[in-house]
Amino acid sequence: MEPRAVSASCSVLAQWMGPSDANPAGFVHGGTVMKLCDEAAAAAAIRHARSRVVTAAVDRMTFLAPVHVGDLLTLQASVNAVWRTSMEVGVRVLSEDPRSGEVRHTNSAYITMVAVDEHGRPVGAIPPLRCETPEESRREREAQLRRENRLAERDQLRDERANEDLGGGGRPA
Ligand SMILES: CC(C)(COP(=O)(O)OP(=O)(O)OC[C@H]1O[C@@H](n2cnc3c(N)ncnc32)[C@H](O)[C@@H]1OP(=O)(O)O)[C@@H](O)C(=O)NCCC(=O)NCCS
């Protein structure tokens, strides 16, 4: 399968934050930002895989600064790494006060999307990723490290549970 460049699926979503997005403190709900991150990530993933995708995991979601009602939110999503049917998509969220022009980096997210068929089952395989800049290559390496850490943690937790199931906290009888 032909590799597809990161730049071919980079996606930008922009949305004005209105009063209905606010929490009682007057800032934009974290959940609103998370939903938009998911949507921006899905757009990039669909454009890379050219298939349906589902969100398998939100690996990280950081809130660096509050978003204000009236701000223009811009979400930049790009595929960081591709495995067999899954992809990590990085989303960078910028919040602009349109009156002053001040732009702040308010959020970052890493989301794992899986390409699926019409029955919701993972597809055979998706095109590999072609990194064209040193920054894209760095993001790919870092995504690979996050995946290795996640899989190592999963294996460790599975082993611990198996030991607990043996009784006696895993100690020999
Ligand atoms: C994501 C999903 C399709 C994976 O199905 P599955 O039967 O576990 O499939 P597999 O074991 O073959 O895994 C498929 C891929 O998903 C990845 N994956 C599965 N669960 C994952 C998780 N929790 N975190 C990260 N990746 C995951 C696997 O690593 C694998 O990636 P690879 O093919 O690139 O190696 C399935 O768990 C699902 O439908 N989940 C619900 C998704 C959903 O409803 N999301 C919210 C609405 S969009």
Side-chain angles (χ1 to χ4, degrees), residues 54-57 83-86 112 114 116 120 122 147 150:
V54 291
T55 309
W83 295 285
R84 193 177 59 85
T85 65
S86 65
T112 301
V114 176
V116 294
R147 177 179 162 95
R150 191 174 61 240

Side-chain angles (χ1 to χ4, degrees), residues 10-158:
C10 271
S11 300
V12 178
L13 189 68
Q15 188 155 323
W16 206 289
M17 295 291 102
S20 63
D21 299 309
N23 62 23
F27 298 118
V28 169
H29 273 295
T32 299
V33 180
M34 289 169 79
K35 179 170 179 286
L36 289 169
C37 283
D38 191 44
E39 288 176 3
I46 291 168
R47 294 173 79 204
H48 179 84
R50 294 291 178 211
S51 81
R52 281 186 58 199
V53 300
V54 291
T55 309
V58 177
D59 299 306
R60 191 169 310 161
M61 178 82 221
T62 51
F63 294 85
L64 305 167
V67 177
H68 305 116
V69 171
D71 280 359
L72 181 65
L73 217 59
T74 304
L75 301 99
Q76 303 169 334
S78 58
V79 176
N80 286 339
V82 170
W83 295 285
R84 193 177 59 85
T85 65
S86 65
M87 298 152 265
E88 184 195 273
V89 184
V91 185
R92 183 181 171 87
V93 184
L94 302 173
S95 190
E96 177 180 347
D97 178 340
R99 284 156 302 183
S100 67
E102 186 201 3
V103 178
R104 293 170 305 131
H105 174 205
T106 49
N107 306 81
S108 286
Y110 298 120
I111 300 179
T112 301
M113 295 278 172
V114 176
V116 294
D117 62 19
E118 64 277 17
H119 305 293
R121 289 188 297 256
V123 296
I126 56 177
L129 191 67
R130 191 172 70 244
C131 295
E132 296 177 316
T133 69
E135 192 176 19
E136 289 172 1
S137 299
R138 174 183 59 77
R139 288 179 179 157
E140 188 182 45
R141 281 195 305 276
E142 291 178 0
Q144 188 61 40
L145 187 64
R146 276 188 288 276
R147 177 179 162 95
E148 282 159 18
N149 287 340
R150 191 174 61 240
L151 293 177
E153 182 190 73
R154 186 197 61 186
D155 291 347
Q156 198 180 346
L157 292 174
R158 189 194 51 214

